Amino acid sequence: MTGADTAPVMETQSKPGGPVTELARDMRLFDITMVGVGAMIGAGIFALTGIAAGHAGPALILAFCLNGVLTLMTAMVYAELGSAIPAAGGGYLWVRFGLPGPSAFLAGWMDWLAHAVAGSLYAVIFGTYIVWGLQVIFGLGEAPTGAGGHGGGGTLFGMPAWPFEKGLTLLICVVFLWINYRGSKETGKAGNIITVAKIVVIAIFIGAGLVAMLRASGAVTVAETYIPFMPNGFSGVLVAMGLTFIAFEGYEIIVQAGEEVENPRRNIPRAVFFSLLIVIPIYILVAIVCIGAMRIPEDVLAETGWAASETWRYLAGLGETGVAVAANEFLPWGLGGILLVIGAILSTMSALNATTFSSTRVSFAMGRDHYLPQGLARISAKTRTPTVALMASGVIIIVVALVLDAERVAGATCAMFLLVFAAVNVSSITIRRKYGDKLRYGYVVPGYPIIPLVAAVGQVGIAAWLLASQPMTLALTAGWITAGMIVYYLYSQGQEHEFRASAVVFEQTPRVPKESPYRVLVPVANPQTAAPLVDLATRLVQPESGDVIVLNVVAVPEQTPYWSTSRFVEDGRQVVQEATAQATESGHDVRGLVRLSRDPGRSIVDTIRDRGINALVMGWSGPRRGPRGKVLGTELDTVLHKADADTVVLRGEVPKMPERILIPAANPRQAQFAIHVAESVAGPSTWIELLRVLRSGEDEETVREAMRAEVFDINDGDTPVRSPNVGLPVDLRLEESADVVGTIVDAAKASDLVIVGAAAETWRHRRSFTAIHRSVAAAWDGPLLLVKLHSGRARFATQQVIDFMTSREPES
């Protein structure tokens, strides 16, 4: 974004001011609804129902219901944001606008892998079900019995079945990578046919199961199969929720295709809710019939010693093929197995199609935003699809499907989906606060902000429980997040900052490069005001130990194209060259820098970050009425809040040889920095007066001893107070008064220079300069320095997060 009035929906450029990279809009409401349904009714319901039943027992039904509630709440958030910001990337894109720091990268990183690995799981289950069909329907091998617990694929043609499963897995991956390469229109057509067909198959399965439950007879009644309802307690339900959450993802793919949907503000919310209305009842009914209609074979009962009513144990032992075995039991003539093999094949194909589509769009968006290599944002001129991103996602899908244990990776996938959805829920609150009046919503979440908060808390809780109960899932999730943080800090952070930073159009290099120099930045606007600032900067750092960088920001109005700014650039170069010429006479190796920007404050922050600036010297014309919450002015306050450096703000001109310098002291840490600045500008006969205004009831001697100890590290009352580096005499002056500003101004009348330190700061809040500083400046018209010591990396990062989350202003 380039300014506060720009809504995030505009952030689709490949380079600020450059051509827009867009995808073709050719998906209708039915097409995009089927994409969501196809992704949700996939291998999750077929492969994970039995596995999850082993944890929850009959309470698998409750796990599906609770997952449905959480999904519905999060879907409301996705519908709201998808209608307002219909761009490729979906959840990743919204987290970029709604959460600070590396949150957006991590959300995209996890979302990319989660969708890709979900595709891997679907491809593996495709191979598993075809092999099971060959074993059971055609009698070409031996299928797993379920008595020995989950694991092992049996045999096929007298050989181990797993090589055949892997070969089929590779084949289906390649087929759907090719379909996705053909474009979203071809993707949608293939998905529509498959999705409608599998809904019909699953409807037949549910109907047959309900009939079998009504006709059930024998030693075990239907009711007994649900008792005990929670054999492993509610903790088992939570684990089952985590493991099966992958079956409820898919609706978010609707919004990740936002750039390819016709009339997205209307169709995206409708498609999200239509897909959920179709899917959630199907899942609940599948759980009911699998447990209630299934019967355990006598030979399995004899081998295991299970009770005949514990059908959930049998489901767990069958693992991925549990649903197919259930169908084979309550449909006649082996039709159940045939039906479920067809349904599983269709489901896994449509889900693989959708997750390939989605993972590609996430990596495409991250490449376009320069979080990942820009080549991922390359679009085929022929098919208008992101081919490089498709290839990258395809490599992950194939490698995971062929090498890793799909069941274990599915747990990590669910955990990452839960964390991404939780981040989106929190982001929706921030986005509405910061950008709500700048966006056009096609749907608004009711009960805001309760619904997104409840959904986020629930998702984080389930993810935490899943990770705590599944060590391998925890290891895989932590490993991928750690790898993402390494990629972010070693590559993505620098690439993204370089892409978004304001353009450098002129730079002077130092004559003698120094090793790790102390760098002082001086933003200047014209030669007349530059002289006092550059003079102050050269007095703050010795020529042999540091550099002074003079910066001029050429402010480019919104309506002015960058290519027409050459004459302004030349003016900026002259300002910088004149300012550096003045400082060079003092022996300093002063460097010049000119940047183009629509936001000067942001350009100063960019320079502090990418040039490793240690100290900042800025000019100030004095207090005046400004925006609410601003003390020094929009530009100065922006720099102070967005960058962490030692800061000196000058009003007027520092005397060459000041006789007396007044430093009002309230915060010991900032007072120490103010004294350091005073030493830098002092003459041989300078005297420092450190003023402390006492509150009513404070003991003067106690405060004096505390000041000597905290500011000067003097613990006895006889040692004279002097500045630590130069040894200037310091007078400690304590006065009790209710009029802080008046007392400071009265003391300033006998001084040549007043240096005021920043207010106290905490880990939560950064106060910097307050209305008291502005009042002192308004009442005192002599030379004035406002100084602030840097916060430190940890404190500054914490304060940045809090500022981001509590501010109502859009981020630049």
Side-chain angles (χ1 to χ4, degrees), residues 700-769:
E700 181 175 338
E701 282 306 313
T702 301
V703 173
R704 187 182 300 275
E705 290 178 6
M707 289 179 63
R708 291 169 65 90
E710 294 173 354
V711 179
F712 300 98
D713 197 23
I714 297 175
N715 296 311
D716 64 81
D718 299 326
T719 304
V721 179
R722 290 186 173 273
S723 65
N725 298 315
V726 181
L728 298 175
V730 179
D731 178 23
L732 299 183
R733 178 176 175 181
L734 286 77
E735 293 191 15
E736 182 175 339
S737 174
D739 183 8
V740 176
V741 173
T743 303
I744 294 173
V745 172
D746 287 342
K749 293 176 181 178
S751 304
D752 303 309
L753 175 67
V754 177
I755 304 178
V756 184
E761 59 181 348
T762 67
W763 281 92
R764 292 186 58 212
H765 299 292
R766 179 172 61 256
R767 295 178 61 193
S768 298
F769 302 109

Side-chain angles (χ1 to χ4, degrees), residues 15 122 196 265:
K15 183 69 178 174
Y122 302 149
V196 172
R265 285 186 174 82

Side-chain angles (χ1 to χ4, degrees), residues 453-473:
L453 280 177
V454 170
V457 171
Q459 286 156 348
V460 171
I462 295 171
W465 195 274
L466 176 64
L467 294 173
S469 62
Q470 302 280 322
M472 182 58 70
T473 296

Side-chain angles (χ1 to χ4, degrees), residues 660-728:
R660 194 172 190 86
I661 299 175
L662 176 67
I663 301 177
N667 178 1
R669 184 170 179 266
Q670 297 296 339
Q672 288 177 331
F673 181 57
I675 292 170
H676 172 73
V677 173
E679 289 180 316
S680 300
V681 300
S685 60
T686 299
W687 188 286
I688 298 175
E689 184 175 62
L690 196 63
L691 173 64
R692 171 72 154 78
V693 181
L694 300 174
R695 296 186 298 271
S696 176
E698 282 189 305
D699 180 69
E700 181 175 338
E701 282 306 313
T702 301
V703 173
R704 187 182 300 275
E705 290 178 6
M707 289 179 63
R708 291 169 65 90
E710 294 173 354
V711 179
F712 300 98
D713 197 23
I714 297 175
N715 296 311
D716 64 81
D718 299 326
T719 304
V721 179
R722 290 186 173 273
S723 65
N725 298 315
V726 181
L728 298 175

Side-chain angles (χ1 to χ4, degrees), residues 111-130:
D111 206 14
W112 180 26
L113 181 77
H115 280 103
V117 174
S120 302
L121 176 65
Y122 302 149
V124 168
I125 303 308
F126 173 86
T128 299
Y129 265 83
I130 287 187

Side-chain angles (χ1 to χ4, degrees), residues 67-99:
N67 266 343
V69 171
L70 275 181
T71 299
L72 183 60
M73 289 191 289
T74 304
M76 292 180 184
V77 171
Y78 267 79
E80 173 179 299
L81 295 176
S83 69
I85 313 174
Y92 146 73
L93 178 71
W94 305 329
V95 174
R96 182 159 70 83
F97 287 108
L99 292 179

